[in-house]
Amino acid sequence: KLPVESIQVVLEELRKNGNLEWLDKNKTSFLIMWRRPEEWGKLIYQWVSKNGLTNSVFTLYELVSGDDTENEEFHGLDESMLLRALQALQQEHKAEIITLDDGRGVKFF
C-alpha cells in the first residue's frame, strides 16, 4: 500500500509520459494506456505501408476485427483507443477519418 501522495506521484509520471489521461477535472477518474495513441497509430500505419494499402479506405471494424489484421498487435483494440490512434495519424496527414453509410472509416495516405 502506498500513501496517497506517492500514488499521485506515480499517476503524474504516467501522465507526463502520455500513458494516463484524466477523465474528470477533479482527477478522481483516469484512463491508463499501455501504449500511447501515437504508438498505436504508428503500428497501424506500419501495417498499412507494409501491405501497400495506402490510398485505401477501411471501416474501423475491418481494422480491429478483420481477418487481415488478426495477427497484428492492434487487432481487437478498443474503438475509443483506435479513434485516438487514427486522430494522431490524421494530425500527421497520414490518414483521414471519414463517415460511411454504416459507420466510420479511415482513408490512409
Side-chain angles (χ1 to χ4, degrees):
K1 293 185 174 184
L2 289 175
V4 172
E5 296 80 23
S6 298
I7 293 170
Q8 290 172 337
V9 168
V10 170
L11 295 178
E12 181 57 21
E13 280 301 310
L14 286 169
R15 187 200 62 77
K16 284 180 186 175
N17 291 331
N19 295 98
L20 180 140
E21 183 179 300
W22 291 107
L23 299 176
D24 64 348
K25 292 181 181 181
N26 296 328
K27 295 184 178 181
T28 59
S29 181
F30 53 87
L31 172 67
I32 293 181
M33 299 172 274
W34 175 48
R35 286 197 169 113
R36 296 186 325 259
E38 298 81 14
E39 294 171 323
W40 284 117
K42 184 177 179 181
L43 285 173
I44 293 167
Y45 198 76
Q46 285 174 345
W47 175 80
V48 167
S49 298
K50 177 179 70 175
N51 291 290
L53 299 171
T54 53
N55 295 315
S56 297
V57 175
F58 294 90
T59 65
L60 301 189
Y61 178 84
E62 286 176 307
L63 279 178
V64 295
S65 301
D67 293 340
D68 294 338
T69 64
E70 69 182 1
N71 293 323
E72 301 300 322
E73 291 183 63
F74 58 86
H75 188 83
L77 189 63
D78 178 71
E79 186 174 326
S80 65
M81 184 56 69
L82 174 62
L83 281 170
R84 291 168 190 238
L86 296 175
Q87 287 167 347
L89 289 174
Q90 190 166 269
Q91 289 178 343
E92 296 175 21
H93 306 290
K94 293 181 176 179
E96 180 182 356
I97 299 169
I98 57 177
T99 302
L100 303 169
D101 293 338
D102 56 347
R104 291 190 192 165
V106 60
K107 180 174 182 176
F108 293 100
F109 305 111

